[in-house]
Amino acid sequence: MDMKKATVVFAACLMSSLVGWSKAPEIPRDTSFTAYSTNKKIRKYHPEAVLALPELPAGVREYRDVVYSTLPKTPYGRRDLHVDIFRPDDEKIYPALLMIHGGGWNSGDKSLQVPMAQQIAKNGYVTIPVEYRLIPEAVYPAGLHDVKTAIRWVRAHAAEYGIDPDRIAVSGCSAGAQLATLAGVTNGSRRHEGKGQWRKTSSDVQAVISMDGIATFVSESNIADAEERLQKKGELPVNAKWLGGLYKDSPENWKEASALLWITPKSAPVCFINSGLPRYSDGRDELVAVYDSIGIYTERHRIPVDVHTFWFFHPWFETTVERAVGFLDRVFKGEKVAPRFKLTDHGVANDSTVVQTAAIQRVIDKAETMGGGEIIVPPGTFLSGALFFKPGTTLRLEEGAVIKGSDNIEDYPLIPSRMEGRSIYYHAALINAYHVDGFEINGPGTINGNGYKFWVQFWDNVERAREENRSWTNLEVRRPRLVFLWGCDNARLSGVRMINSAFWTSHFYLCNDLIVENCEVQAPREPVRAPSSDAIDLDGCHRVIVRGCYLNCDDDGVCLKGGKGVFAHKSHENDSVTDVLVEGCVFGPNLHGTLTLGSECVHANNVVLRNCRLDNDCSLLRLKMRPDTYQVYENIRIENVTGRCGSVVEVLPWKQFFSLEGTDEKPVGLIRNISIKNIDLKCNGLGVIAANPDDKVENFEFENVAVKAESDIFRCNYPDVKLKNVTVNGKRPVIMTADEEMKDKLNFDAVDLDKNNEK
């Protein structure tokens, strides 16, 4: 070919390619929804939230951007759709979980699922974040058809990636959850299948996990909301855009995309994990009711926060992963599914006026005799005295369910118990579990202590004692606690609301590997204060996680206990409190201390409080130093705390109910290795470190602490306490000491303490 002809051919090819290129414009993408834009939005109101970042765990391998489908002809040319794959780094066969991102059907991408996919994979699953077509590239049913195609691809390539083709699940978040539920409910539905690749392979799944996604579009509220949004903003809301118009314009799409309308015996089991925002639960309860009627397994979990995208953030990320893995294990790995014992199915009346302790206890006892089970409290109020949970039993309170405590102390028998650092006979709590390993209390319902009568009696007794100029104790007025667990390893309280306790709200004695998560714990100051209503008391416990809780009682928030008295450190009944993590919690205005060590604590070690928000008038870290008890508080870290409080630290003597028990002992306390770092607070002042005269303080350090305060004075009796980059109102604090008289005045509880009780 001569040069002239070659030039002509080259030009023709170039023009052809340019014409082809012009016919395939770039795919339009809405990039408004990302992890980082969400992080900025959420942390404005929830600074305790910490974005979960991608991190490939040890023992997990990955495959990125694997093509699962090629669409040869689209308005944007040839179109590849991709998945990422994470799996244990071995040659075993595992169940698979296809994971669908959210973003309102118009934004987001598969990378949003990667942090969760990586963590679930290390638990023995092949996790597969999936790409699917969004508005404006495509509208319904394209996204559903992409998901169905991806499921077929996973099954067709199961051998290649070590997947069990008979154990495939699908999960989704928000809009992705709607798609996941629809995909799993419509097993076997040709109408929903689409015309994608791998048509000879089944798209059925064996389990669904829905995270804050709706199960129906055709509720009256959804239909009306879309019309109202159009009228207000002059454009279709995103759900109507995706479905091809308002309900009146596109009713078939609205119905076809509503999982609730397509349930059959072939539908897959579903686990719902929801936030505290009701709009994202639309259709869930109705779907569960239909599933129950035809015998298909479901689970409902609630993370009671007003954060729709809770799965992005610590501390809720961990709960989400654990709930997802637990559900998958039960469906795919033969983990026992506990029988369910609904109170009203076993002779308990939905009647808030009659004490039904015996009837409820019979249900618990029946569950134990049958090998264990989950005690279900349905919506309604059930009045009860002390209940005792047995090995193999757990408690679940459904939304709207209330166990309300009797206000008659005779309904709480005297039994071996633990109070104020001593093992004694005392009244049982409302909810009790003794040596029940694996015990759980799950919300979102409420345990209401109904403590008003006891509070009034307590303060009446205090007033009489003061008038008579005599000492008094916290135990003179007999009051039940709300929850008491003794020797329960691997226990968990999750998503439950605990309110109005007559005494300590939740008390854990000698419990190891304990989790308290996403709970709301409240007791009032008005109209009557709820005395000694500590939110969480850890008494001789080891390896404890408290995360995502709202704590607001008329005493301490998280309180570490373990014994008091001259010989407490030698008694076999007492124990240290070690390895405690408190994170992502909010501490409310009624508290007397945020994190408190004492007043009955002999040894606390390795305690971390981080990423929390304060809205109170007390101290962030409170160390109560008893002059009648040998105490060691060591290796305590406080970091990344924001909000409002009374002071950053309060280390002072605690002399209430002081007694040397007739000995000549002179107990001393040791405080060492304390770090308070990255603190940004509004408060009254930096606080006080002024323990008993012989107590020792070693390696106590503040770093990167900035407070806006009414006073720039920091009371500190220990010159070796280090302040690195610590400012009060932009300046270095003024350091002064505190004498014994001032120590008494600086105590947060000075108004409640009586000198008569120090004798």
Side-chain angles (χ1 to χ4, degrees):
M1 182 181 296
D2 60 31
M3 183 61 67
K4 185 175 181 180
K5 289 183 178 179
T7 302
V8 171
V9 171
F10 173 76
C13 291
L14 178 62
M15 289 299 295
S16 176
S17 66
L18 289 174
V19 170
W21 177 83
S22 66
K23 291 181 180 179
E26 184 177 348
I27 298 170
R29 300 185 189 276
D30 181 339
T31 59
S32 60
F33 181 64
T34 67
Y36 295 96
S37 65
T38 305
N39 182 53
K40 184 177 180 180
K41 176 182 177 181
I42 295 303
R43 282 184 57 81
K44 182 177 180 180
Y45 302 100
H46 290 274
E48 73 277 12
V50 177
L51 186 66
L53 299 175
E55 183 178 358
L56 190 68
V60 173
R61 78 171 76 130
E62 64 180 4
Y63 306 85
R64 294 296 190 117
D65 291 321
V66 178
V67 175
Y68 75 85
S69 179
T70 298
L71 307 174
K73 295 180 180 180
T74 78
Y76 309 99
R78 182 183 176 91
R79 174 77 158 97
D80 288 339
L81 295 171
H82 305 82
V83 293
D84 294 331
I85 302 172
F86 303 90
R87 58 153 292 134
D89 191 14
D90 57 34
E91 304 309 316
K92 296 179 181 179
I93 305 298
Y94 293 99
L97 176 65
L98 191 79
M99 305 179 71
I100 310 171
H101 69 82
W105 306 283
N106 70 325
S107 189
D109 60 61
K110 62 183 171 61
S111 70
L112 298 175
Q113 295 291 288
V114 167
M116 189 158 40
Q118 291 171 329
Q119 296 305 311
I120 294 175
K122 75 177 185 180
N123 287 277
Y125 291 92
V126 181
T127 54
I128 308 172
V130 61
E131 175 189 14
Y132 62 99
R133 286 172 289 170
L134 304 167
I135 303 169
E137 179 185 3
V139 294
Y140 181 84
L144 175 65
H145 292 169
D146 292 343
V147 168
K148 292 275 190 177
T149 299
I151 296 167
R152 295 194 298 268
W153 179 89
V154 169
R155 185 165 277 118
H157 292 77
E160 183 178 348
Y161 293 100
I163 294 169
D164 182 345
D166 296 323
R167 294 186 294 168
I168 297 175
V170 61
S171 70
C173 301
S174 191
Q178 179 272 325
L179 281 168
T181 308
L182 184 60
V185 165
T186 57
N187 282 344
S189 171
R190 296 181 64 182
R191 177 170 179 167
H192 293 84
E193 195 67 30
K195 298 181 179 180
Q197 294 172 276
W198 322 105
R199 290 295 305 280
K200 293 183 179 181
T201 303
S202 171
S203 67
D204 287 1
V205 296
Q206 287 68 55
V208 176
I209 302 171
S210 170
M211 304 174 202
D212 238 20
I214 64 173
T216 183
F217 286 103
V218 295
S219 64
E220 291 183 4
S221 59
N222 260 328
I223 294 170
D225 179 72
E227 293 177 349
E228 290 174 9
R229 288 172 182 261
L230 174 61
Q231 291 175 1
K232 288 181 179 179
K233 296 187 177 182
E235 65 174 332
L236 287 172
V238 66
N239 59 342
K241 288 181 181 178
W242 191 61
L243 294 171
L246 296 173
Y247 175 73
K248 63 184 179 182
D249 303 317
S250 187
E252 291 307 309
N253 276 358
W254 282 64
K255 293 175 183 177
E256 186 179 290
S258 296
L260 179 60
L261 304 182
W262 300 95
I263 300 168
T264 73
K266 294 182 179 180
S267 297
V270 181
C271 171
F272 292 98
I273 307 174
N274 288 101
S275 71
L277 300 169
R279 61 177 291 199
Y280 299 106
S281 301
D282 209 354
R284 177 199 63 189
D285 295 342
E286 293 87 344
L287 184 147
V288 169
V290 177
Y291 265 45
D292 286 348
S293 70
I294 58 177
I296 303 177
Y297 181 69
T298 62
E299 291 184 12
R300 282 178 286 184
H301 304 287
R302 181 168 173 258
I303 297 177
V305 292
D306 60 347
V307 178
H308 172 46
T309 52
F310 57 84
W311 55 86
F312 279 163
F313 298 97
H314 306 289
W316 313 299
F317 175 84
E318 288 82 359
T319 304
T320 305
V321 169
E322 289 169 9
R323 291 303 189 189
V325 170
F327 171 73
L328 293 173
D329 285 351
R330 283 182 282 279
V331 174
F332 287 150
K333 296 184 178 180
E335 184 175 299
K336 181 181 178 182
V337 177
R340 292 169 172 173
F341 295 82
K342 188 175 181 179
L343 292 185
T344 49
D345 291 341
H346 295 271
V348 180
N350 195 333
D351 187 340
S352 63
T353 65
V354 178
V355 177
Q356 300 189 81
T357 312
I360 298 172
Q361 188 64 53
R362 281 195 294 270
V363 180
I364 298 170
D365 295 344
K366 181 178 181 180
E368 183 199 18
T369 62
M370 296 180 66
E374 185 178 37
I375 310 303
I376 305 291
V377 184
T381 299
F382 299 83
L383 192 62
S384 180
L387 298 171
F388 296 88
F389 284 79
K390 307 296 180 62
T393 62
T394 62
L395 173 63
R396 177 174 180 80
L397 297 107
E398 294 184 342
E399 195 157 358
V402 180
I403 292 181
K404 184 178 180 180
S406 164
D407 63 3
N408 182 353
I409 194 61
E410 301 305 322
D411 290 324
Y412 305 89
L414 283 168
I415 58 173
S417 192
R418 172 83 171 180
M419 287 302 304
E420 296 191 331
R422 301 287 172 85
S423 296
I424 62 173
Y425 271 75
Y426 194 70
H427 294 277
L430 177 56
I431 304 296
N432 303 269
Y434 282 55
H435 305 289
V436 181
D437 291 346
F439 179 65
E440 292 190 5
I441 303 176
N442 292 301
T446 300
I447 305 173
N448 183 347
N450 190 27
Y452 180 84
K453 176 181 173 181
F454 298 106
W455 306 333
V456 171
Q457 291 174 348
F458 177 89
W459 292 116
D460 285 349
N461 181 65
V462 170
E463 185 62 29
R464 286 194 302 271
R466 288 172 175 169
E467 290 174 356
E468 297 166 5
N469 195 31
R470 64 171 175 83
S471 63
W472 52 271
T473 75
N474 284 328
L475 304 182
E476 287 180 18
V477 173
R478 300 177 297 157
R479 300 175 287 156
R481 290 154 292 174
L482 197 71
V483 174
F484 178 51
L485 273 57
W486 180 336
C488 298
D489 291 345
N490 297 297
R492 181 191 294 258
L493 276 67
S494 184
V496 68
R497 187 167 180 253
M498 297 179 282
I499 63 172
N500 299 331
S501 181
F503 210 157
W504 298 346
T505 301
S506 63
H507 180 194
F508 306 94
Y509 176 48
L510 301 181
C511 295
N512 301 319
D513 303 296
L514 168 71
I515 295 177
V516 182
E517 61 182 3
N518 308 315
C519 293
E520 176 189 339
V521 188
Q522 296 216 55
R525 282 185 179 175
E526 296 178 347
V528 178
R529 287 178 53 197
S532 309
S533 52
D534 298 5
I536 298 173
D537 283 335
L538 305 175
D539 189 353
C541 297
H542 304 277
R543 298 179 300 280
V544 178
I545 296 174
V546 179
R547 63 189 179 205
C549 294
Y550 178 72
L551 308 178
N552 186 34
C553 295
D554 190 33
D555 210 319
D556 296 312
V558 176
C559 185
L560 277 53
K561 298 180 178 291
K564 70 174 181 179
V566 174
F567 305 110
H569 61 298
K570 297 180 179 180
S571 172
H572 71 278
E573 297 174 344
N574 299 325
D575 200 356
S576 303
V577 180
T578 65
D579 304 316
V580 176
L581 172 62
V582 180
E583 66 175 347
C585 293
V586 179
F587 294 86
N590 294 350
L591 295 173
H592 296 207
T594 300
L595 174 63
T596 300
L597 281 61
S599 57
E600 308 99 25
C601 185
V602 291
H603 182 211
N605 182 28
N606 192 25
V607 180
V608 177
L609 182 147
R610 67 188 183 195
N611 305 323
C612 291
R613 174 163 56 94
L614 311 188
D615 181 23
N616 57 45
D617 301 305
C618 62
S619 57
L620 165 55
L621 176 63
R622 190 179 193 192
L623 307 184
K624 296 180 177 180
M625 306 305 298
R626 296 193 68 94
D628 60 2
T629 304
Y630 292 93
Q631 296 173 299
V632 179
Y633 298 154
E634 59 184 341
N635 303 313
I636 300 167
R637 293 201 333 265
I638 312 293
E639 55 191 34
N640 302 328
V641 179
T642 62
R644 176 188 69 84
C645 67
S647 66
V648 176
V649 64
E650 180 185 308
V651 181
L652 288 169
W654 186 264
K655 303 175 185 177
Q656 189 180 41
F657 314 131
F658 170 84
S659 174
L660 291 176
E661 303 176 54
T663 72
D664 295 327
E665 292 281 333
K666 295 181 179 179
V668 294
L670 172 61
I671 302 168
R672 63 186 175 194
N673 304 331
I674 313 297
S675 172
I676 300 177
K677 186 176 181 180
N678 299 334
I679 308 298
D680 184 4
L681 291 168
K682 294 180 180 179
C683 56
N684 297 329
L686 197 57
V688 55
I689 304 178
N692 298 296
D694 294 329
D695 291 343
K696 296 180 180 180
V697 175
E698 301 174 356
N699 193 26
F700 200 126
E701 182 175 287
F702 296 79
E703 183 177 359
N704 298 332
V705 175
V707 300
K708 296 179 181 178
E710 296 177 7
S711 171
D712 61 358
I713 296 174
F714 174 38
R715 299 282 179 180
C716 182
N717 290 5
Y718 304 91
D720 291 336
V721 171
K722 297 178 181 178
L723 278 66
K724 297 180 180 179
N725 191 28
V726 175
T727 61
V728 179
N729 301 325
K731 299 179 180 179
R732 186 172 177 81
V734 177
I735 300 176
M736 303 177 68
T737 59
D739 59 24
E740 295 305 306
E741 182 178 352
M742 182 170 289
K743 291 179 185 180
D744 290 341
K745 294 179 180 178
L746 291 173
N747 193 308
F748 182 87
D749 289 305
V751 67
D752 291 331
L753 299 176
D754 287 351
K755 287 294 182 181
N756 284 322
N757 290 336
E758 298 178 11
K759 297 177 181 178

